[in-house]
Amino acid sequence: MKTLLMTTIAASALFLVACSDNNAPAPETASVPPAETVEPAPNDNAFTPVEPVALPSLVDVLGSSPDFSTLVAAIGAADLTETLSGPGTYTIFAPTNEAFSAMDPAMLEDLMKPENKDKLVTVLSYHVVPGKLSSSDLAGKSEPLASLNNKDMLVDGTGDNLMVNTATVKMGDIEASNGVIHVIDTVLLPRFEE
């Protein structure tokens, strides 16, 4: 043990002698320029709030997708654009172009004629419910809902899919400034009063 201690002391002494060698070059030191004084930016203590971006209207949302071009054209032909873009709150069950193409083409063509505008309004209004109803509002329920034209549709959220009459909701809860859109795969056809 005494030998180990003596060896350690000797090694330490040699290290100190090596470090204090006068012939060794001095280590280089980097010259650091003095720090510049940076003036803080003027602070007006004014917070500029970011304006919230308003969501587009129901019609604008539908118009932004090529999948709803037939529906948007029908809304225009029925003069419902202003209503469905206005301040009221609505839930639209929106059939896609594919849903319209599954209809009898003669029926769709007939509905789009100016002289049949009242029937077209009846069909389109049957896809709209006053108020904003999310998928979660409809889940687990099976009940009739009064559409915009006061004709009831059956909304059934008790199964695996949310159903509206015989249509299946393929995508729900598309937000708009004045309501919500649920995409359906079938055009809803009310009974027409003769």
Side-chain angles (χ1 to χ4, degrees), residues 67-71 94-101 183-187:
D67 293 330
F68 299 106
S69 59
T70 305
L71 178 59
T96 61
N97 291 346
E98 191 175 333
F100 276 103
S101 67
V183 180
I184 57 174
D185 63 356
T186 306
V187 176

Side-chain angles (χ1 to χ4, degrees), residues 42-180:
N43 183 359
D44 298 332
N45 285 333
F47 173 73
T48 307
V50 176
E51 290 294 321
V53 177
L55 290 172
S57 72
L58 290 163
V59 175
D60 290 335
V61 171
L62 292 169
S64 69
S65 171
D67 293 330
F68 299 106
S69 59
T70 305
L71 178 59
V72 171
I75 289 171
D79 289 332
L80 291 173
T81 302
E82 189 174 324
T83 299
L84 297 176
S85 297
T89 306
Y90 304 102
T91 299
I92 296 182
F93 295 99
T96 61
N97 291 346
E98 191 175 333
F100 276 103
S101 67
M103 283 179 69
D104 175 7
M107 176 186 267
L108 181 58
E109 185 180 330
D110 194 51
L111 282 171
M112 295 295 281
K113 292 179 180 175
E115 61 268 21
N116 293 326
K117 180 179 167 184
D118 289 343
K119 280 188 176 183
L120 180 61
V121 169
T122 299
V123 169
L124 294 176
S125 297
Y126 192 54
H127 292 80
V128 182
V129 175
K132 183 178 178 181
L133 299 171
S134 68
S135 296
S136 60
D137 294 330
L138 303 171
K141 298 177 183 173
S142 181
E143 59 189 37
L145 289 179
S147 65
L148 201 57
N149 63 12
N150 292 319
K151 296 182 182 293
D152 285 347
M153 64 178 79
L154 178 63
V155 176
D156 186 357
T158 59
D160 292 337
N161 296 308
L162 179 60
M163 304 291 294
V164 183
N165 292 350
T166 59
T168 302
V169 173
K170 293 298 188 179
M171 182 185 300
D173 302 322
I174 301 170
E175 294 284 331
S177 62
N178 58 336
V180 66

Side-chain angles (χ1 to χ4, degrees), residues 9-38:
I9 292 172
S12 298
L14 284 174
F15 178 75
L16 289 173
V17 168
C19 289
S20 64
D21 185 6
N22 288 339
N23 295 330
E28 289 185 33
T29 57
S31 63
V32 178
E36 291 182 28
T37 305
V38 178

